[in-house]
Amino acid sequence: MKAIYLKEMRSYFHSLAAYIYFALFIAATGVYFSVICMSYGYTDYAQYVFSNSTILYIVIVPILTMRLFAEEKKQRTDQLLYTSPIRSGSIVFGKYLASVTLLAISMLVSIIEAGVLSMFGNVNWKTVLTGCLGYFLLGACLMAVGMFVSSLTDNQMIAAALSFAVVLFCMLLPNISNVVPGRARYTYIVCVLAVILIAWFFYDETKNVKITAGVGVAGIAIIAILSKVKPALFDNGLSKIIDWFSVLDRFNDFCSGILNASSIIYYVSFIAVFLFLTMQGIEKRRWN
């Protein structure tokens, strides 16, 4: 894993990716810092800088993740990785840690800006530190998604476009939650479709009809039982599902100085799921 990590770090700094990322991050946070915090005298750094800078991930994530696997496929160097004794998990973690390392370095810039702001007013360091943690975890989640997208194609531009679309969708989830229909039947339909997709995933991975059928029947049975025992769960169910999956809503607690253990667990679980999906894709190509 160390070799993969160092290789990716060198690749970032030998190309323009790292420099473009740092330039965009410093420019975006610097504008909010200088215009809102310094000019108007607002000392709530997390609320005014971190909250407004989340939109930057729409551009940052494609820049840092589009080449992670897509470039390997295009140059055929992925064959060396798949035939080497390195485990798939080490490959994925090495590449992923390289991308989040850049994100962690940029957090130091925010700490420095908050330190400068503290010279001119009272800065609530609790919200600054929790905001840094939340901003980092939010970015780490989106990086995991971007890396998974990159593993699906051999074209960097396609990977960048798909990552852009997925991150934009994640950012718009809170707004989508307000416009989806609230009737229970729509929730049932979405849940059934989700069970079908999960069953298809199991079939694609195992090619076992019995396991696929078992997963599908179990999923439908759970939905039927819940609809009888707790029918209220399905009222405005789509909004509840979207709110639960929204990575942005949980970030707001961090900017308010609230260190919520459930939010941290959610972010870590979100990252783990997409890293697992990436590893599964690599394992499948390795054995094929």
Side-chain angles (χ1 to χ4, degrees):
M1 185 177 75
K2 182 179 178 181
I4 300 293
Y5 171 79
L6 294 176
K7 170 185 173 295
E8 291 302 323
M9 290 299 294
R10 285 194 296 269
S11 297
Y12 276 129
F13 286 98
H14 287 168
S15 65
L16 292 176
Y19 304 103
I20 292 174
Y21 163 66
F22 286 125
L24 287 173
F25 183 85
I26 293 172
T29 58
V31 167
Y32 290 117
F33 168 70
S34 59
V35 174
I36 299 177
C37 294
M38 296 298 289
S39 298
Y40 291 97
Y42 295 122
T43 58
D44 193 349
Y45 182 89
Q47 194 65 43
Y48 291 107
V49 177
F50 285 135
S51 294
N52 291 318
S53 299
T54 53
I55 195 69
L56 190 62
Y57 280 128
I58 296 176
V59 179
I60 287 176
V61 171
I63 289 175
L64 293 183
T65 61
M66 65 180 183
R67 50 167 296 282
L68 288 177
F69 284 100
E71 185 179 36
E72 299 275 9
K73 290 182 181 180
K74 184 177 181 180
Q75 296 180 354
R76 303 296 182 184
T77 54
D78 60 327
Q79 303 299 325
L80 296 175
L81 289 176
Y82 300 152
T83 56
S84 67
I86 303 175
R87 294 181 179 179
S88 300
S90 298
I91 297 171
V92 172
F93 278 112
K95 289 177 174 290
Y96 178 70
L97 288 178
S99 64
V100 297
T101 296
L102 297 182
L103 184 61
I105 293 173
S106 64
M107 292 295 97
L108 297 177
V109 176
S110 299
I111 298 294
I112 293 172
E113 290 178 346
V116 172
L117 186 61
S118 67
M119 299 178 184
F120 302 94
N122 296 321
V123 174
N124 187 340
W125 281 100
K126 178 184 177 182
T127 60
V128 172
L129 295 177
T130 56
C132 275
L133 177 61
Y135 197 85
F136 175 79
L137 289 174
L138 174 62
C141 285
L142 298 176
M143 294 289 185
V145 175
M147 186 175 69
F148 171 68
V149 171
S150 178
S151 69
L152 300 177
T153 178
D154 60 356
N155 189 303
Q156 292 189 49
M157 292 300 102
I158 293 176
L162 289 175
S163 296
F164 176 87
V166 172
V167 175
L168 179 62
F169 177 75
C170 291
M171 292 296 177
L172 293 177
L173 275 181
N175 296 324
I176 296 174
S177 173
N178 297 325
V179 298
V180 295
R183 293 182 180 179
R185 63 184 179 186
Y186 294 107
T187 307
Y188 293 133
I189 294 172
V190 171
C191 289
V192 170
L193 290 176
V195 169
I196 293 173
L197 287 174
I198 293 172
W200 173 83
F201 173 79
F202 272 90
Y203 178 76
D204 186 62
E205 293 296 322
T206 64
K207 303 300 181 183
N208 190 311
V209 177
K210 292 182 178 179
I211 293 177
T212 303
V215 170
V217 171
I220 299 297
I222 291 172
I223 294 173
I225 292 171
L226 288 177
S227 65
K228 296 295 183 181
V229 177
K230 290 187 177 181
L233 286 176
F234 295 89
D235 293 329
N236 290 317
L238 291 182
S239 295
K240 295 175 184 176
I241 293 172
I242 292 173
D243 289 339
W244 191 85
F245 277 104
S246 176
V247 294
L248 198 58
D249 282 345
R250 289 171 172 78
F251 169 69
N252 296 328
D253 290 339
F254 288 93
C255 289
S256 300
I258 301 173
L259 195 59
N260 196 329
S262 64
S263 297
I264 295 175
I265 293 172
Y266 174 84
Y267 281 133
V268 173
S269 302
F270 190 97
I271 293 168
V273 167
F274 278 95
L275 293 183
F276 172 77
L277 292 176
T278 306
M279 284 188 284
Q280 290 300 110
I282 291 176
E283 280 293 326
K284 184 177 180 180
R285 285 193 296 274
R286 169 175 275 175
W287 289 109
N288 286 342

